[in-house]
Amino acid sequence: MTARIIDGKQVAEALRARIAAQVATLAYKPGLRVVRVGEDPASVVYVRNKDRAAAACGFDSATQVLPEATTEAELLRVVRALNDDPAVDGILVQFPLPGQIRQEAVINAIDPAKDIDGLHPLNAGRLASGAPGLVPCTPQGVMHLLAAAGTSVQGARAVVIGRSVLVGRPVAQLLLAADATVTMAHSRTRDLAAECRRAEIVIAAVGRAELVRGDWIAEGATVIDVGINRGADGKLVGDVAFAEALPRAGAITPVPGGVGPMTIACLLENTLKAALARRG
Ligand code: NAD
């Protein structure tokens, strides 16, 4: 068997097209504001891509750039002004932040109704208790990819490798909400290979190049690789040894071109969701 490759670019494009079509029916443009502090080169690229994608989908999108030396109090003032601005539906503060600013203080300051990253404790709590709310983008992207792959989640044995607040935990909660039987594996898991071999769905969100070997994958399993790592040759590789997994898996995401493209599309999805919830 050779796995079907799940094309994240195509799935993201289709999602963006659905969002654009829905935005076109609204009497207003959903407002997205991105705040970037400093000139971290990767953040400059991410933010530019977010802005472009938002504009292409018909959003009212703008980026506020603050100097590297911005204090926490100054950034919190900016966030509160965006909270109070009725034209703003979604607020995204790009991480990482300079060392003088506590990430947690910023997350807590964002109005949960505009928290399109889904990281505010209220939204995290809603997700944990199975209530509707704004869900972190990359985990939501993982669920879209499973749907696009035609993978039946209900009742399936799923292993999530990685327990970060940003990816692993919310992915596990979304899978649980979709009625999977979920195992969360992490750096202290005793026999990761055995946990994977039992799984019909493997989600790898670790950040270690090719940690998951081909013979850990059960025949026909769906594999979603969230990891982004630089291989020895400088090329991007995932957390899964792709070439080894390909003959065993039923469906698999490539790196790049799998989960990556979904994140921005899901950010726009959240902004639209926030706009519809706020404005009716
Ligand atoms: P993180 O460092 O916060 O968490 C990594 C998790 O992996 C931890 O919970 C840890 O327990 C677990 N882990 C570490 N070593 C392990 C091991 N040997 N065996 C099993 N588990 C182990 O990272 P993160 O923010 O969750 O990101 C994970 C990966 O996903 C990174 O490569 C990151 O670049 C990527 N990522 C991709 C996107 C995207 O858009 N595609 C978005 C976010 C993160």
Side-chain angles (χ1 to χ4, degrees):
M1 181 190 235
T2 296
R4 201 152 50 80
I5 294 175
I6 308 165
D7 184 344
K9 275 191 208 155
Q10 208 174 66
V11 179
E13 214 172 278
L15 176 58
R16 284 202 307 269
R18 286 202 300 276
I19 293 167
Q22 203 177 344
V23 168
T25 67
L26 300 175
Y28 60 89
K29 288 181 166 206
L32 167 63
R33 295 293 177 274
V34 182
V35 182
R36 170 161 70 73
V37 185
E39 298 299 323
D40 172 66
S43 295
V44 172
V45 175
Y46 290 149
V47 167
R48 193 188 305 136
N49 290 343
K50 284 170 185 171
D51 235 356
R52 280 190 191 148
C57 283
F59 289 71
D60 157 27
S61 163
T63 298
Q64 213 165 325
V65 180
L66 304 176
E68 182 80 30
T70 301
T71 64
E72 185 177 296
E74 283 165 345
L75 178 57
L76 294 184
R77 266 198 297 280
V78 169
V79 168
R80 289 190 194 110
L82 295 173
N83 285 345
D84 293 341
D85 184 342
V88 175
D89 297 293
I91 303 167
L92 178 109
V93 178
Q94 183 67 44
F95 296 145
L97 291 167
Q100 71 276 15
I101 304 175
R102 290 168 304 148
Q103 189 169 304
E104 195 190 351
V106 176
I107 290 171
N108 290 345
I110 295 174
D111 178 348
K114 299 186 177 187
D115 167 40
I116 50 173
D117 252 344
L119 296 176
H120 189 283
L122 192 76
N123 284 317
R126 282 178 178 146
L127 180 59
S129 59
L134 291 166
V135 170
C137 301
T138 302
Q140 187 59 44
V142 168
M143 298 307 287
H144 280 304
L145 290 171
L146 287 173
T151 299
S152 163
V153 176
Q154 192 178 41
R157 283 187 305 274
V159 164
V160 180
I161 318 171
R163 56 179 162 182
S164 74
V165 171
L166 196 65
V167 190
R169 274 167 213 252
V171 165
Q173 278 156 349
L174 287 170
L175 287 167
L176 205 54
D179 296 327
T181 301
V182 184
T183 300
M184 287 198 71
H186 45 76
S187 53
R188 303 296 169 94
T189 295
R190 204 174 301 127
D191 188 349
L192 188 57
E195 297 296 344
C196 287
R197 285 189 188 111
R198 275 195 288 274
E200 297 157 276
I201 298 171
V202 176
I203 316 286
V206 179
R208 290 201 176 203
E210 303 187 327
L211 171 80
V212 178
R213 308 312 308 184
D215 66 352
W216 298 12
I217 304 297
E219 284 289 339
T222 298
V223 181
I224 308 286
D225 191 351
V226 185
I228 303 174
N229 315 284
R230 287 256 168 233
D233 56 1
K235 285 193 184 150
L236 288 187
V237 285
D239 290 344
V240 179
F242 184 79
E244 287 178 19
L246 204 56
R248 297 177 63 95
I252 186 167
T253 57
V255 177
V259 177
M262 295 304 298
T263 301
I264 292 183
C266 291
L267 187 75
L268 302 181
E269 188 181 34
N270 270 353
T271 308
L272 176 58
K273 194 171 155 187
L276 294 173
R278 281 185 60 244
R279 307 196 201 208

